[in-house]
Amino acid sequence: MTERFATAEACVDYTIARLGKTLRLGAPLGLGKPVQLLNAFFRRAEQDPDIELHIYTALSLEVPKPASHIEAELAGPIVQRIFGDYEPLAYMEAQRAGGLPPNIQVSELYFKAGAMKNMPAAQQQYISSNYTHIARDMMAAGVNVLLQLVAARDTDEGLSLSLSCNPDVALDVIRNKRAQGRDDFLCFAQVHRDLPFMRHDAEVPATLFDGVVENPGYHRTLFAVPNTAVPAADYATALHASTLVVDGGTLQIGIGALGDAVAHALILRQQQPAAWQDAVDRLTRIDSGCQTEHGPFEQGLYVSTEMFVNGMLHLMEAGVVKRRVYDLLALQQGLNDGLISEDVDARLLDYLRRCNVLPGQLTPECLQSLQYWGILPDTLQINDGVLSLQGATLANDMDNPATRAALVKAGEGQRLRHGRVLHGGFFLGPRDFYQKLRDLDDTGQERICMTSVLRTNQLLLDYPLYCAQRRHARFINTGMMVSLSGAVTSDALENGTVISGVGGQYNFVAMAHDLPGARSVLCIRSTRGKGKALRSNIVTHYGHTTIPRHLRDIIVTEYGIADLRGQTDAEVIRRLIAVADSRFQQELADWAIKQGKLPADYEVPAAARNNTPYRIAKALSSHIADGRLPAYPFGTDLTPEELTLSASLRRIKALSDEPATFLREVLRALLHRGDKEAARPWLERIHLMHPDSSRDFIVQQLLMLELEEHGLLKVR
């Protein structure tokens, strides 16, 4: 019996009555957290010190908070517009305020990048785990309560639920607990009517849960992640990476500016191949050492990803992601080999007969399976071993010419069904992304399957089938640093500080080595910081590793592609230096020579000696100016004024990192005396028309100079 609760507090009461006061609570990462239900458990434990509460989760989302009052003036309306009445996570607020009560612990398996750098409790309670092991580790930790935000719809059979954005781990935890027949485990769903209802593996009966919480007051704004601006360097990296993607292959990309840049680069390759090729040619200075691809996608791509990001939906809309895969090995192999198409015709039936997928004589179970895939018509029936089709009786003999002819005729104009162009574990993105998912029609729903990460992130469940589906796979992710050995750091610093988490990166890199024809592509910005704080992200060595050197594969920076797979240590170093920023190449080379890893006469190749931001900006300038490489390829929630202000204020803030430069620019701005009236729309937006302090006056003057130098104000 599934209980129905009108309030989160009633669900907490029920749980304590059933399980007592030792609660090991699991919740999904990201969007799938039922905030009101989580907060009710937290507040109850906060009020009752006898409750021992340990929360296991990942990627706890927080509404951004401005760092200064000027930023607040700009960000306030934007935050309200995007996040509305989103309710904060109480445990995050407690951590930010200085600590959790002693009877409450929070362990995360993945942080929002950089969010917990200065949070000792969060760093101490962090659990490092591959995504595919999270369900296992949560069960081993004794999780006895699972909470999940769900979508819902009413059907003739009753309430139907969808795990929607997060079937990734919940499916496996619940099913494993149910299989064990444990009576010390409860799982609850909180309904949110704005959450997109995803079907297939994500759709579950309400009876899967011990209780369902639905309260109209809980249907607050869903957390949305705004699109971020894509700088020229990220576009350069993405354009290089887009040459590695094979038509008819498989794709996985990550979140953020680099993920958006890769998706847009692939769309440009599809829709404007000449412009795409020109941009690639302008950037390419070195031989990557690996085969590159060109031209639009005729067969299209299939996506197998842990995270379904906004860019992937745009790739579907652009006709790049369109290759369907089928969970029937013979079908998939026949399609891969070109022996059949998705048309239901004589060639398909003959092929399946040879494979014995279509047996000589049909059984009811076999007929049902073949009808599911659309191979045999829905009107075909079997009664007492005899076939009937639209009133005509047919011999139950698939080698009978009359039966075969009737089936071929019935299949004319029909195509295979239940092919998927995307399998994903979870989704998170901007508001319009959620709206598009809510608006999916039956055809759109048919193409997308949200499912467990045990399917998307590994090959173990069905190695032959997944190998057939994930042909020519390109798993494109990001890293923070790469050492000259080819080892990559993506989740933490060498002092142990966790920046984000391993997530599924190791899963995809390992899968790329195990999957025939697959490659792991790790995109890394060549540098970080500015001025005196500028550092290379290609380093001699580093004290923390996410991806070990023996799994090195392809590294891409804005300066090119380094194919490291199967190469000697010396060649790996040569190729990494060739894609490093030129301001750091010689010191990298000198270190390698000193360590005996490069010959003493090594010199940085001439073609790689101009790896500078200026060269990248110049190479892409015409494509940026013409709008082919826009700052926000998939749109933005910001107004034009807000875009201008945010960019200008970022540049002004960056000046503070260089005191000498800052003072010089302040003096120049004060002597220049900008035109306040011309700048009125921007100044009024952040209440700087009449500054209240000397600091605000300086920011006002710098801002006017910024606006003028970027062509937005007339020069007096």
Side-chain angles (χ1 to χ4, degrees), residues 181-199:
R182 303 287 292 270
D183 60 2
D184 59 351
F185 171 78
L186 296 173
C187 58
F188 300 104
Q190 179 183 317
V191 172
H192 198 303
R193 293 284 174 170
D194 290 337
L195 198 63
F197 194 103
M198 308 305 290
R199 303 177 192 170

Side-chain angles (χ1 to χ4, degrees), residues 227 310 313-314 429-437 634-635 637:
N227 294 320
N310 186 31
L313 196 55
H314 283 270
R431 293 182 301 167
D432 63 338
F433 176 51
Y434 301 157
Q435 187 61 53
K436 287 179 180 179
L437 293 178
F634 304 129
D637 291 297

